[in-house]
Amino acid sequence: LPRPRRAAAVAPRAAPAPPRRARRRPPGAAPPQAAPRRRALRLLRLPQAPPREGGQAPGALLELVDYVQAPTAAANANAPARLPDAVQEALVAAISANIFRPLPPALYESAANIDPNATPDDEEEPYLDPAWPHLQLVYELLLRYVVSPDTDTKVAKRYVDHAFVLRLLDHFDSEDPREREYLKTVLHRIYGKFMVHRPFIRKAINNVFYRFIFETERHNGIGELLEILGSIINGFALPMKEEHKLFLSRALIPLHKPKSVGIYHQQLSYCIVQFVEKDYKLADAVIRGLLKYWPVINCQKEVLFLGELEEVLEATQPAEFQRCMVPLFKQIGRCLNSAHFQVAERALFLWNNDHIVSLIAQNRGVIFPIIFEALERNIQSHWNQAVHGLTANVRKMFLDMDSDLFDECHQQYIEKEEKAKELEEQRESAWRQLEAVAAKASGDDMVLVK
């Protein structure tokens, strides 16, 4: 008989493996998120060697920039939600040690040491700091720290304090335009993020302006500071505080006084116009301030002032215009008769502005008699043909606007010229009489003429 087949043996099912026990952290060991913090602290303690000497400074700064800019990604999603206090303290200390340094002597100071009678050359190339590649990384680190959403202002204000802000403002006098550009961005970001520092920053900038206007008249960063103030003024709430109005009258308007106003005039004009657009009642004070500091012999400054005056008048309402129109158009009349053709031409261009023409038309009874004599003198005796043609156009505009008033002003001008001619003839007659008396007594004793 065949033997029965043996059933295939079934392998017994393997028992499930016991779960792996989580590895315990030894007592006293740091949590995983502490690794990037320790790494950052070690990097901050590295000696900051200049780039030309090699060293680890450039690589360390780049790594710190990445850590501050994106701490979560830099630490493989194990970093804390905000920068640790110890890292912030060490970071600000390292930044301060690198960027806060004695600035080199300015070009005008070096020239004065060589030749006391030397005058500064405005066209000279700006000074470029040879250590800028290193300083740029430090400024970038500071900027990323200030704008980082992981920077807690309640903690950071202990390190970015008033002393830190003052030292930043001191470095606005740097001759390197690249450094001033970074300083402008950093200070603007600090103003926007640290609300507790805003009044102090405004006051500190005021002090820089006061020293520049009334003491030194030399500073390299006035334009950058005015750019910051332009955005600050744009955010002022209405009604405007008395503090801001005092800033306009005591700091901004006197900034028209220094000889170097042409360097920063564009930014200054923007700030002035921002004030007038915010509060139209300030137009009278602004225009009178411009007239107070109006240049006498500097024709280029006069052209700048006329351009700024046009922008201010565009934002001026009729009530404020009436308060200052008499001294304003007396000054414009003097500009019309200027021997410098650019000044006269720029003054005549005011009549190309429709808003200004409408203001003049509403008050033509006061303005025509003031301006008519200047127009007639240009028509009769100005040497430049372009000024002569523009004057004729303005004169025709007045004639079309009010012919009766034009005729009256023309008659008054003729009578005034006749009186002036009579006075001149009397003066010439008196001198001829004196000459005759002197000639008659030429051989006698001295004759005293009373």
Side-chain angles (χ1 to χ4, degrees):
L1 294 174
R3 298 177 62 183
R5 293 182 178 180
R6 182 178 299 177
V10 179
R13 182 177 297 177
R20 297 182 63 181
R21 185 175 300 177
R23 183 180 297 178
R24 292 184 177 180
R25 188 168 64 246
Q33 61 266 22
R37 180 178 60 189
R38 291 200 306 270
R39 173 65 176 165
L41 289 172
R42 285 199 301 270
L43 292 173
L44 288 168
R45 295 191 183 101
L46 284 176
Q48 304 297 319
R52 62 177 181 273
E53 298 179 7
Q56 306 177 49
L61 288 171
L62 289 172
E63 190 171 346
L64 285 170
V65 169
D66 294 337
Y67 172 76
V68 172
Q69 184 175 1
T72 303
N76 298 323
N78 289 323
R82 63 179 180 85
L83 293 174
D85 297 0
V87 171
Q88 293 192 52
E89 182 179 5
L91 183 67
V92 175
I95 291 171
S96 302
N98 279 268
I99 65 175
F100 296 147
R101 66 205 187 281
L103 294 175
L107 291 177
Y108 65 86
E109 294 178 356
S110 302
N113 292 333
I114 298 172
D115 182 8
N117 298 323
T119 57
D121 187 4
D122 295 336
E123 298 181 356
E124 194 167 354
E125 292 294 327
Y127 170 79
L128 301 179
D129 198 322
W132 176 247
H134 173 73
L135 291 172
Q136 183 180 14
L137 291 176
V138 182
Y139 275 112
E140 186 66 24
L141 177 60
L142 173 59
L143 178 61
R144 296 303 175 187
Y145 167 67
V146 172
V147 303
S148 173
D150 301 300
T151 300
D152 186 4
T153 55
K154 294 181 181 179
V155 177
K157 69 180 182 181
R158 299 202 298 263
Y159 313 118
V160 182
D161 53 4
H162 290 178
F164 187 89
V165 171
L166 285 177
R167 298 179 76 180
L168 278 181
L169 284 171
D170 288 341
H171 279 67
F172 270 88
D173 201 17
S174 171
E175 292 196 354
D176 195 327
R178 303 168 298 180
E179 182 172 11
R180 297 200 302 270
E181 192 67 23
Y182 258 102
L183 285 165
K184 178 187 72 174
T185 306
V186 169
L187 186 62
H188 191 195
R189 296 291 186 175
I190 290 175
Y191 186 90
K193 190 163 188 174
F194 296 82
M195 297 187 66
V196 68
H197 290 339
R198 289 184 179 182
F200 178 80
I201 291 175
R202 292 196 300 267
K203 184 177 180 182
I205 292 176
N206 282 3
N207 293 335
V208 173
F209 288 163
Y210 294 153
R211 184 180 180 189
F212 169 69
I213 296 166
F214 302 110
E215 295 182 13
T216 63
E217 289 197 3
R218 294 186 184 275
H219 197 283
N220 295 310
I222 299 298
E224 286 78 7
L225 291 173
L226 287 171
E227 287 185 35
I228 298 173
L229 287 171
S231 59
I232 292 175
I233 295 167
N234 195 24
F236 281 167
L238 295 177
M240 196 171 291
K241 296 180 180 178
E242 191 65 25
E243 169 199 350
H244 304 328
K245 296 179 182 179
L246 289 175
F247 167 68
L248 170 66
S249 60
R250 295 180 179 178
L252 285 186
I253 292 178
L255 276 174
H256 293 85
K257 176 185 176 183
K259 298 178 181 179
S260 58
V261 65
I263 300 175
Y264 56 84
H265 182 265
Q266 182 179 357
Q267 297 91 335
L268 176 61
S269 177
Y270 177 78
C271 293
I272 294 289
V273 174
Q274 285 287 311
F275 264 103
V276 179
E277 290 179 350
K278 281 282 183 180
D279 188 354
Y280 65 90
K281 295 181 180 179
L282 296 173
D284 176 46
V286 168
I287 292 174
R288 291 182 181 275
L290 285 174
L291 296 177
K292 177 181 179 181
Y293 295 104
W294 200 275
V296 178
I297 58 175
N298 191 332
C299 298
Q300 296 302 323
K301 278 182 69 173
E302 279 195 276
V303 174
L304 294 176
F305 274 49
L306 286 167
E308 181 180 353
L309 180 63
E310 180 177 0
E311 295 182 7
V312 173
L313 287 174
E314 284 183 353
T316 303
Q317 300 299 319
E320 280 65 39
F321 179 77
Q322 291 174 359
R323 295 192 182 100
C324 60
M325 61 183 178
V326 173
L328 172 62
F329 277 88
K330 286 183 179 179
Q331 181 61 54
I332 292 176
R334 288 190 287 269
C335 293
L336 291 176
N337 294 141
S338 174
H340 197 289
F341 77 97
Q342 290 181 345
V343 176
E345 193 176 51
R346 189 62 186 87
L348 289 164
F349 282 159
L350 293 175
W351 275 265
N352 292 338
N353 190 296
D354 294 337
H355 181 69
I356 296 177
V357 170
S358 67
L359 292 174
I360 294 173
Q362 295 171 17
N363 303 276
R364 57 183 179 271
V366 178
I367 296 175
F368 276 14
I370 298 173
I371 214 74
F372 189 86
E373 182 178 351
L375 295 175
E376 289 297 317
R377 288 181 180 176
N378 273 4
I379 289 291
Q380 295 175 8
S381 60
H382 203 283
W383 64 272
N384 187 270
Q385 291 298 321
V387 173
H388 194 278
L390 290 171
T391 304
N393 294 337
V394 174
R395 189 173 182 272
K396 184 177 182 301
M397 186 185 301
F398 281 166
L399 178 60
D400 297 339
M401 195 179 294
D402 193 335
S403 58
D404 295 337
L405 182 59
F406 182 90
D407 294 338
E408 181 182 347
C409 293
H410 189 265
Q411 184 63 33
Q412 291 176 359
Y413 173 75
I414 294 175
E415 293 175 358
K416 184 176 180 180
E417 287 295 310
E418 291 177 352
K419 290 182 180 179
K421 189 176 180 179
E422 291 177 2
L423 289 175
E424 184 66 23
E425 291 176 353
Q426 293 176 6
R427 187 179 298 110
E428 290 293 335
S429 176
W431 278 109
R432 285 195 295 268
Q433 292 177 6
L434 289 174
E435 290 173 357
V437 171
K440 184 178 179 181
S442 57
D444 301 337
D445 297 338
M446 183 182 297
V447 179
L448 180 62
V449 180
K450 296 184 179 179

